[in-house]
Amino acid sequence: MRNLKITPEIFFNQRRRFLKLGAGSLVSAFAVENLLAEILQESSLQFKPTNPQEAYALNGELLESTPEEIATSYNNFYEFGFLKSDPKAQAHLLKPKPWEIQIEGAIEKPITIELSELLTNMHLEERIYRFRCVEAWSMVIPWIGFPLQELIEFVKPTSSAQYLRFTTLYDPKQFPMQGNLFSLDFPYKEVLRLDEALHPLTIIAVGMYQKPLLAQNGAPLRLVVPWKYGYKSIKSIKKIEFLEEKPISTWEEENPKEYGFYGNVDPEVPHPRWSQATERVMGKRGQVKTLYLNGYAHEVEHLYLGMDRTKLY
């Protein structure tokens, strides 16, 4: 597999700063999260592109990072509202720290853990990924996160675990649309097969553009699966369950004719109401051709060998 990740030297060099904080209940959740913010801020001095539109090579093409202002102001996050501008306008309502994550199900170590503590057991990396929305627009985002595979190994799934279900925080005070009768059936849920979750490209993101995630982008942690449509990359994760049987995800339950379980990007499989053959790259004019599996076919198409592509949407 081609190298698509960068491990910033700053995270390796600053590991002793984490150790100096102590361990267990003696460590303030704020202490580690604030240290994360400090390291992310400092890291921008270590690997910030010399050109704000630095090009990254991927699949033989040169990709330009989407301007940060666009990526943080044009969002789908229906817990805040239906308009693209609603997440940024309502972001102040979300309180992303301290933040506990419940991990349970078919695993050897069911836990409820502070994100701050979890991060001390993970290895943060920068990943520059394509991001393709089911609405036929796209971005290129420099994420900071850790491979989901590390978390899976940390909690030790049993042999019966086949799926992971992720659930967003449910709190209508922080997410005003969760109390709206005309909204989705919240809390939002998404599902991956275990082999998809274990793939090295699948990450849990805690930052972007060398900074901690903003609320409108899914603070304090979100899933990022770059070969799938954006609705699969669930935001503000509060619970992760390891399950034996396939559960139904939010959009699959809400509108199964338009949103399937897999959500794989495929230019040859149209959405019922529009083509997926092309996409609008945010910050640029015109349309470009959409790539199968969002340009990551070389890395992930083996996961779906023998399956009908029309069933992978």
Side-chain angles (χ1 to χ4, degrees):
M1 187 180 75
R2 285 160 292 172
N3 183 18
L4 299 176
K5 65 184 180 181
I6 302 170
T7 303
E9 183 180 1
I10 187 69
F11 291 117
F12 179 80
N13 290 342
Q14 299 302 325
R15 65 195 185 281
R16 289 186 176 85
R17 289 169 61 184
F18 280 107
L19 297 176
K20 288 180 180 178
L21 291 177
S25 60
L26 297 179
V27 182
S28 164
F30 289 101
V32 179
E33 290 179 1
N34 288 338
L35 179 55
L36 170 63
E38 290 175 14
I39 291 176
L40 288 172
Q41 184 176 22
E42 292 171 11
S43 70
S44 67
L45 302 176
Q46 301 294 321
F47 62 95
K48 182 177 180 180
T50 56
N51 181 340
Q53 289 297 305
E54 181 78 11
Y56 300 96
L58 180 63
N59 293 325
E61 296 184 271
L62 291 179
L63 300 178
E64 291 184 352
S65 207
T66 300
E68 183 179 356
E69 174 57 29
I70 293 177
T72 57
S73 61
Y74 189 89
N75 310 105
N76 285 326
F77 201 166
Y78 293 131
E79 284 83 349
F80 287 127
F82 296 126
L83 301 178
K84 296 292 190 292
S85 58
D86 285 340
K88 183 176 181 180
Q90 301 292 334
H92 64 281
L93 297 173
L94 180 64
K95 309 303 179 187
K97 61 182 182 180
W99 190 274
E100 281 190 341
I101 306 149
Q102 186 177 353
I103 308 175
E104 60 183 39
I107 55 176
E108 295 181 11
K109 296 170 57 178
I111 55 172
T112 297
I113 188 169
E114 288 282 347
L115 175 59
S116 54
E117 182 180 351
L118 179 64
L119 289 177
T120 64
N121 293 280
M122 303 294 123
H123 298 87
L124 295 174
E125 304 168 352
E126 184 177 42
R127 303 285 187 94
I128 300 96
Y129 282 163
R130 298 174 183 271
F131 181 87
R132 174 62 154 79
C133 181
V134 72
E135 297 169 350
W137 54 264
S138 65
M139 300 183 184
V140 175
I141 307 294
W143 303 101
I144 295 289
F146 59 87
L148 178 55
Q149 181 180 9
E150 288 194 4
L151 183 148
I152 293 171
E153 293 172 351
F154 180 69
V155 298
K156 301 183 184 303
T158 66
S159 59
S160 62
Q162 298 297 319
Y163 297 90
L164 275 71
R165 179 168 60 192
F166 305 82
T167 304
T168 295
L169 168 72
Y170 183 80
D171 185 344
K173 292 183 179 179
Q174 299 187 64
F175 289 136
M177 293 302 289
Q178 288 181 339
N180 189 313
L181 294 176
F182 301 100
S183 294
L184 297 171
D185 183 17
F186 292 116
Y188 193 94
K189 297 180 176 68
E190 260 309 334
V191 182
L192 292 179
R193 286 187 339 204
L194 181 59
D195 59 345
E196 295 176 316
L198 284 168
H199 194 279
L201 290 182
T202 304
I203 65 169
I204 296 292
V206 296
M208 55 191 286
Y209 295 92
Q210 297 95 47
K211 302 170 186 175
L213 280 178
L214 297 176
Q216 60 263 40
N217 295 108
L221 77 166
R222 63 173 292 167
L223 181 67
V224 177
V225 192
W227 68 92
K228 294 179 179 289
Y229 291 115
Y231 68 85
K232 296 292 294 187
S233 293
I234 185 172
K235 305 176 181 76
S236 302
I237 298 168
K238 195 66 174 174
K239 181 191 290 186
I240 302 174
E241 301 166 273
F242 289 73
L243 304 174
E244 299 177 11
E245 303 293 334
K246 174 184 167 301
I248 297 177
S249 56
T250 292
W251 276 112
E252 186 184 11
E253 182 175 33
E254 178 73 17
N255 192 345
K257 292 182 179 180
E258 297 193 0
Y259 302 97
F261 168 77
Y262 284 98
N264 285 350
V265 176
D266 193 336
E268 296 183 10
V269 180
H271 185 279
R273 289 183 283 133
W274 56 78
S275 170
Q276 296 287 20
T278 64
E279 63 200 62
R280 174 169 57 102
V281 180
M282 300 303 299
K284 296 181 178 297
R285 294 182 178 181
Q287 300 276 320
V288 300
K289 291 183 179 180
T290 291
L291 299 176
Y292 178 49
L293 295 174
N294 206 26
Y296 299 96
H298 180 79
E299 286 81 13
V300 302
E301 64 180 345
H302 67 276
L303 296 175
Y304 311 105
L305 288 179
M307 298 182 66
D308 182 352
R309 280 172 58 169
T310 64
K311 304 298 184 183
L312 295 172
Y313 176 61

